[in-house]
Amino acid sequence: LKEEAARKRRQRGADITSINPAMAFADSRLVSGESAMNLYLCLPFQQDSGGYEAATAPRTNLLFATWNSYPRTVGQLQATLEGGAHGDVGPTLVLVRCGDQIFGGYASQRWSFEGRFHGTPKSFLFSITRDCKIPYHGRVRRALEPGEEEEEKAAAAAAE
């Protein structure tokens, strides 16, 4: 995250000087300071009409937290992500704390609960604790069920 944020700082230069950590994730109790800025700068900025990334910073809103009056259950979170009380949610960043680890993911499209994988190259997983970003590469083929790998190998050998 630090390396990509540094690269984006160099690319955008003065365009991002008005962005500060408090603006990035103001309501978060999980990320702040330099970590918040690094993660924020990894988010896709709005593109201008010419297709170039402009300095229009993404807007962040807290939709779910276990520590306040936001939806308190995963079912309520799902309803929110499906566009319930907040309308079309659009791109979403999920932050999770498990013990000492803070990690999450960025979904560049609205969520789908139809049982299929989806995403775009703008989507990614990340770890604040380990300072890493894992880009989305899409699925090359469907996931194999247990035992299918052997069947596939046997079918390939028989075809030779």
Side-chain angles (χ1 to χ4, degrees):
L1 295 173
K2 285 180 190 174
E3 289 178 18
E4 183 167 341
R7 181 178 57 81
K8 290 196 175 180
R9 280 184 179 97
R10 286 190 304 274
Q11 287 174 341
R12 295 190 178 116
D15 291 343
I16 61 168
T17 56
S18 62
I19 300 170
N20 63 56
M23 173 181 160
F25 302 104
D27 296 331
S28 177
R29 291 187 178 180
L30 300 181
V31 65
S32 61
E34 184 181 350
S35 295
M37 273 304 289
N38 290 340
L39 179 57
Y40 188 74
L41 290 174
C42 288
L43 299 177
F45 280 43
Q46 296 293 323
Q47 293 186 346
D48 65 17
S49 58
Y52 299 100
E53 275 199 8
T56 306
R59 190 187 66 200
T60 61
N61 297 310
L62 183 65
L63 296 179
F64 178 84
T66 56
W67 50 265
N68 60 18
S69 62
Y70 289 94
R72 296 178 190 267
T73 68
V74 173
Q76 289 173 323
L77 174 60
Q78 179 177 343
T80 300
L81 292 172
E82 288 177 328
H86 296 282
D88 185 11
V89 175
T92 311
L93 182 98
V94 176
L95 281 167
V96 178
R97 179 176 53 208
C98 183
D100 293 339
Q101 303 294 312
I102 299 175
F103 56 94
Y106 173 75
S108 61
Q109 298 175 322
R110 75 178 283 172
W111 287 55
S112 170
F113 295 92
E114 298 175 4
R116 285 177 267 163
F117 292 97
H118 70 283
T120 71
K122 291 183 179 182
S123 301
F124 60 92
L125 300 174
F126 61 88
S127 170
I128 298 292
T129 310
R130 297 178 186 265
D131 187 40
C132 69
K133 176 182 173 185
I134 304 165
Y136 175 82
H137 292 291
R139 293 195 56 186
V140 177
R141 60 184 191 144
R142 72 176 183 81
L144 297 176
E145 297 294 325
E148 282 187 323
E149 187 173 351
E150 290 79 26
E151 292 172 16
E152 212 173 78
K153 286 179 184 177
E160 292 177 359

